[in-house]
Amino acid sequence: MNTILSFIVVLGILIFVHEFGHFIVAKLFNVKVLKFSLGFGPRLFGRRIGETDYQVSALPLGGYVNMLGENPGETTDHDDTERSFSGKPLWQRFLIVAAGPFFNLGFAVLLFFLIYALVGLPQPVPGTKIGEVAPDSPAAEAGLLAGDRILTVNGMATEDWEDVSRLIRDSEGRPVTLDIHRNGDVLQVTSTPEQQEVKNIFGEVVGQRYMLGVTRSSEVEYRSISLFEALGAGFSQTWGLIWLTLVAIVKMIQQIIPATELGGPILIAQLAGQQMEVGWINFVYFIALISINLGILNLLPIPVLDGGHLVFFTVEAITRRPVSMKVREVAQQVGILLLLALMFFVFYNDIMRLLNG
């Protein structure tokens, strides 16, 4: 129940933010909005307010804003011509379409800003506390445990994790003696570092280094900052995750990251439930991360997505004439097939994860 509730909250919020971006910019440019729907398919319930029907539909995996004159070749009454989407200048149509994904990216900035403004900027807790010990590693064989605090390496005091890494790396494979603090006692252990591959976050080997097989504690503390600093940190965090996502897409195309890492609604639901159980900060951070991914996904140049429409508008700006109806129809059919294939693949990955536990 917690997983389902978390999934509904995350998806509902992000779909609303995305469609609200299209809606509010369309209204700003006086485009007539006929329908604002959360979800696809049959209408479950809703209410007409003014000229717009606000509704919730049966299929929750998306939403849409239906504007007058949005579809190519659509005819409109003479009185409504000035308020049709197709009758607006190219730059206004471009901004209306781009508003959805950019509202998702801006929403991530807002969420990070709120976290940093309310609880402070997260920073690793200084010190030399061990977070994890890799199985079958030299550290595990020597008896090191998660939670141990390394006091010295070969008699040299260690005040932060950088000291530990440097001294073990510089050992060049020779045995090292560590004084550790555990449950109020000081113990001494000896272990021999092994040369191991160093990988980046994408799993690429970037070098080799002598290591024991321990990682620092992931505990964080929060430092109070001003609202201005919180806003800057929100932009910085969002941009960092945007860049990381774009690089991950490239790495996946290069087959450095396996395609099996792609996840769909089931994985999102599982992760949302897990993050909600950990705490509200993790849950809000997760929403921001998914919002960034949703924004970038919709900017991809696939015809049925916002990015595909932006490509059409860019071509129109260059050639000074709209892309032909035939080309758009063929492109949209190809786009639909690509999306269906992608949806099938991520659902397959989700099901295999469930079967494999």
Side-chain angles (χ1 to χ4, degrees), residues 200 202 204 246-258:
N200 61 19
F202 303 110
E204 296 176 286
L246 293 174
V247 173
I249 292 173
V250 173
K251 298 294 184 183
M252 196 166 291
I253 293 172
Q254 295 173 336
Q255 298 184 340
I256 294 172
I257 299 177

Side-chain angles (χ1 to χ4, degrees), residues 167-178:
L167 292 170
I168 293 174
R169 181 182 65 244
D170 293 347
S171 71
E172 297 183 345
R174 294 184 294 271
V176 294
T177 301
L178 296 85

